[in-house]
Amino acid sequence: MSRVMLITGASRGIGAATARLAAQQGYALCLNYHQRADAANAVLEQVRGLGVTAIAVQADVADETQVLHMFEAIDRELGRLDVLVNNAGMLEQQMRLEQMDAARWGRVLGANVIGSFLCAREAIKRMSTRHGGQGGAIVNLSSVAARLGAPGEYIDYAAAKGAIDSMTLGLAKEVASEGIRVNAVRPGVIHTDIHAAGGEPDRVERVKASVPMGRGGQAEEIAEAILWLASEQASYTSGALLDVAGGR
């Protein structure tokens, strides 16, 4: 029976690249998306074309009711869960802290932090041997912004990813004896459209000189790290924060 992977934010960027690579490796997939049904369905067609079972489920991961409905769909249509990739996240317009308002912080922390907690909670209920599960893996998407701080751009996003680092470390210890490994990938500057949301679509080109390897990364390079952490090749790896950032 195929292992089942849930990827949040799977309609584009790192999530879509992870879905394609997971399908190549034979995973059955639940592709979560928030708003872009057209993009999610395009990815769904791609992965089904590789011969795997896959569903797409719309849910705002920051909304508890919608997350519960998504996991009910996984139970009903896929029957099990082996891997959660907490990829969904967002950032907002670049600005200094004193220009930000509380509504923005609610959106940024909701999507990046609360969503990851909600999905991890429901995944643990299904994977933990304590709850009758067979074990599994959780891979969180953090960012090197967690240790660089993103000054003058989006320190709220950086702080949210710092929370993901702490969650990864604590949860890895909490569920280690229950057959669940928890790790995080911390991408550097990657060629995805998340930068457009910050108001600077060409940000990678501007900052690539600060990357020791001299270039931005590709979504597929992050996907490779995610799939390794999800695999049995990483069977003794838990609580790791893996930087995939060109040496930055």
Side-chain angles (χ1 to χ4, degrees), residues 18-111:
T18 302
R20 289 189 289 266
L21 184 59
Q24 290 169 20
Q25 296 185 10
Y27 281 92
L29 295 168
C30 175
L31 309 178
N32 158 259
Y33 67 98
H34 183 199
Q35 295 174 318
R36 291 286 305 278
D38 55 340
N41 286 326
V43 178
L44 184 65
E45 287 184 18
Q46 290 173 345
V47 299
R48 284 179 172 170
L50 293 168
V52 301
T53 300
I55 60 173
V57 180
Q58 182 176 19
D60 177 357
V61 296
D63 184 301
E64 185 171 23
T65 299
Q66 293 184 43
V67 169
L68 292 175
H69 287 160
M70 176 172 65
F71 275 85
E72 288 168 2
I74 293 170
D75 294 340
R76 183 175 62 251
E77 299 189 42
L78 299 174
R80 59 184 287 172
L81 183 65
D82 300 281
V83 179
L84 164 65
V85 179
N86 267 323
N87 170 71
M90 53 85 81
L91 49 76
E92 297 208 355
Q93 188 76 27
Q94 294 174 346
M95 62 181 65
R96 287 168 53 95
L97 174 66
E98 68 265 31
Q99 298 172 289
M100 299 177 186
D101 60 24
R104 168 184 166 130
W105 295 329
R107 291 189 298 270
V108 170
L109 293 172

